Amino acid sequence: MDNITALGGDVYEIDTKMAGYTGITAGYLILGDRPCLVETGTSTSAPVVRDALASLGVGPQDLATVVVTHIHLDHAGGVGDIARFFPAAQIVVHEKGARHLADPSRLMASARMVWGDKLDTLFGELSPTEAERIVALGDTGSIDLGNGRTLSSHYSPGHAKHHVGLVDSGTGDLYVGDAAGVYLPQTGDLRPATPPPDFDLQTALNSIALFEALGPQRLLFSHYGPVNAVQETLERSAEELRIWVDLTRQARTEGMDLDHAVAMVRDRTKERYSALKADDQTAEQFELLSGAPSNVAGILHWLDRVSP
């Protein structure tokens, strides 16, 4: 299948084809004794992911675990569907996200307020998962991949209060979710992901520092793909956060409303990203991955909280 890439160490990247796009959201299959899927993608992507797993020899009874870094719909929107396709799998999530997978009604209502009619096209509907199949992680946890190999979980809020990073003991890979921002492999661009309502600058920087301290061999971005330059990328991730916060704070000090703040931040940061100078499709993809309106709104929401 054209949406599967072998990354070594029995790890396979799966393009979940979010909303029909390629290169937007990745899931990862760790194909050990106890096969584990990291990130499901959206609900509309669930059949794509199921077919990818089938082509890698993972049938309905074979998947042991599904782990999500956090419960935003581009990462976990497919959990209910994947749980139904793979009835033997446990569903693993941070304890602050667990109840929303069992009863997604509040999560879906707030997502619909943000996305409106676009919700159905981009994400679809998160269906509930039976509570007894959900394993809720605390600040650290461990997932058995079989043969002594583990996936250790590390609480890493700042992007979302239910976010975890995951380290594979077999490869040294760190699944960063959105806590280190979004990475565009075509251009090597990295941009922060600071949506409302959970973004918090210091917490986000602390999570990046934690990722550095874990000493991973490689970063696996949900958006998008593997990155070997670990230290340099995490430093860039912290730098991007500071720049976006400084510019948004300046816009707020000057009394700008959201639209003007977004326009100003977009203009002042555009030279940092090759993607925005590339073809329209790449620019559109980058904006979908880490939209300036969502990022600026999240930073403003945080500023209103910390310095009303």
Side-chain angles (χ1 to χ4, degrees):
M1 291 177 74
D2 65 349
N3 64 324
I4 300 172
T5 308
L7 300 180
D10 288 329
V11 178
Y12 295 84
E13 174 194 284
I14 299 165
D15 188 334
T16 70
K17 304 276 180 82
M18 175 175 151
Y21 288 89
T22 54
I24 288 278
T25 299
Y28 294 92
L29 178 68
I30 304 170
L31 194 56
D33 275 6
R34 293 175 49 77
C36 173
L37 176 67
V38 179
E39 313 285 49
T40 65
T42 65
S43 168
T44 49
S45 297
V48 173
V49 175
R50 175 197 58 199
D51 294 349
L53 265 56
S55 79
L56 290 165
V58 179
Q61 295 300 324
D62 299 330
L63 190 65
T65 321
V66 175
V67 194
V68 291
T69 59
H70 60 303
I71 61 166
H72 289 165
L73 296 177
D74 48 339
H75 299 256
V79 164
D81 303 281
I82 293 290
R84 198 169 64 250
F85 296 150
F86 298 95
Q90 283 190 320
I91 312 301
V92 183
V93 62
H94 189 263
E95 59 194 5
K96 288 191 170 150
R99 66 192 171 94
H100 295 289
L101 296 186
D103 176 7
S105 52
R106 279 183 59 194
L107 180 65
M108 288 307 302
S110 67
R112 198 164 286 284
M113 277 172 62
V114 173
W115 294 98
D117 294 343
K118 280 189 181 164
L119 183 76
D120 302 312
T121 322
L122 283 176
F123 306 113
E125 188 84 21
L126 169 59
S127 20
T129 300
E130 302 97 309
E132 58 273 17
R133 292 182 60 187
I134 298 172
V135 177
L137 298 166
D139 287 357
T140 57
S142 183
I143 295 136
D144 178 15
L145 300 174
N147 256 350
R149 185 174 178 178
T150 59
L151 195 61
S152 61
S153 160
H154 302 269
Y155 186 45
S156 44
H159 168 80
K161 63 176 183 285
H162 37 72
H163 195 292
V164 296
L166 303 156
V167 180
D168 181 344
S169 69
T171 58
D173 287 331
L174 169 58
Y175 295 85
V176 294
D178 283 351
V182 301
Y183 175 78
L184 198 64
Q186 300 96 303
T187 58
D189 284 323
L190 184 72
R191 199 178 197 181
T194 60
D198 292 349
F199 172 68
D200 181 279
L201 177 62
Q202 196 51 55
T203 311
L205 291 171
N206 291 348
S207 292
I208 293 168
L210 168 65
F211 286 176
E212 288 177 341
L214 291 169
Q217 297 299 301
R218 178 169 65 174
L219 305 175
L220 296 184
F221 281 83
S222 304
H223 320 286
Y224 185 94
V227 176
N228 291 314
V230 172
Q231 188 64 32
E232 177 190 329
T233 304
L234 291 174
E235 283 171 9
R236 170 87 191 270
S237 157
E239 178 191 11
E240 290 289 328
L241 276 176
R242 290 192 180 97
I243 286 168
W244 279 67
V245 165
D246 286 348
L247 287 169
T248 305
R249 186 184 274 123
Q250 185 186 330
R252 182 176 181 259
T253 305
E254 290 172 19
M256 292 184 192
D257 63 13
L258 178 61
D259 289 347
H260 286 91
V262 168
M264 188 269 260
V265 175
R266 216 180 231 149
D267 183 58
R268 299 275 183 89
T269 55
K270 66 174 190 250
E271 290 306 313
R272 301 184 63 75
Y273 311 117
S274 314
L276 302 181
K277 306 181 194 91
D279 57 283
D280 289 350
Q281 190 183 349
T282 307
E284 180 191 2
Q285 186 177 345
F286 200 40
E287 194 59 30
L288 187 61
L289 277 173
S290 168
S294 162
N295 280 349
V296 172
I299 296 167
L300 285 172
H301 185 272
W302 166 72
L303 287 168
D304 287 344
R305 206 167 62 238
V306 294
S307 52

